[in-house]
Amino acid sequence: PTLILVRCQSYLFDLTGVTDEHPFLINDQTNNPFGTIYLPGSYGSVVNFTPTAQMPGMIWYHCSVHSGMTGAIQLVNPCPGDLNNDLVVNSTDFGLFVADFGNPCGGCKSDINNDGTVNSTDFGLFVAAFGSTCG
């Protein structure tokens, strides 16, 4: 299944039932266990994973041995619109948003709806969050 994880929140993956025949890893590749590795191949233990603000909006989990064993992980921001991570959606965030507006950005924080472009849909979501506090 597709997992939805909140950036900067820690998750425990219980891999105690996973054998060395199916090492679990997380990376930036849709269909293979190569590319940028965010969690190296693990099995037989409990591992901690914390998605960062810098990771793309979509990452994937895989069996590092079997290419067909894979699934998507969608990363969402803990507080939509808080682009500078100060736990307040304010004019500073607006300046950052405006600088990104109209640009493709695959997973950047200004792309609030994670469609790959900072556009008017994101602006509506940003305005709805403006003035809110997070945490």
Side-chain angles (χ1 to χ4, degrees), residues 56-57 100 103-112 116-118 122:
D100 288 338
N103 296 319
C105 70
C108 70
K109 292 180 77 173
S110 295
D111 181 18
I112 298 171
T117 303
V118 181
D122 300 302

Side-chain angles (χ1 to χ4, degrees), residues 61-79:
Y61 60 91
H62 302 271
C63 168
S64 64
V65 176
H66 302 95
S67 62
M69 297 175 73
T70 185
I73 300 173
Q74 179 182 359
L75 300 181
V76 296
N77 295 329
C79 183

Side-chain angles (χ1 to χ4, degrees), residues 10 16 27 39 55 61-62 77 85 88 101 106 112-113 119 121 134:
S10 293
T16 55
N27 72 0
L39 179 71
M55 290 179 186
Y61 60 91
H62 302 271
N77 295 329
N85 297 317
V88 179
F101 193 83
I112 298 171
N113 69 346
N119 55 29
T121 303
C134 314

Side-chain angles (χ1 to χ4, degrees), residues 22-71:
H22 301 290
F24 175 89
L25 69 81
I26 297 175
N27 72 0
D28 66 347
Q29 300 292 308
T30 307
N31 294 316
N32 67 62
F34 304 106
T36 301
I37 305 292
Y38 300 119
L39 179 71
S42 302
Y43 58 88
S45 63
V46 176
V47 295
N48 185 28
F49 176 68
T50 305
T52 67
Q54 293 74 32
M55 290 179 186
M58 293 295 290
I59 57 177
W60 287 266
Y61 60 91
H62 302 271
C63 168
S64 64
V65 176
H66 302 95
S67 62
M69 297 175 73
T70 185

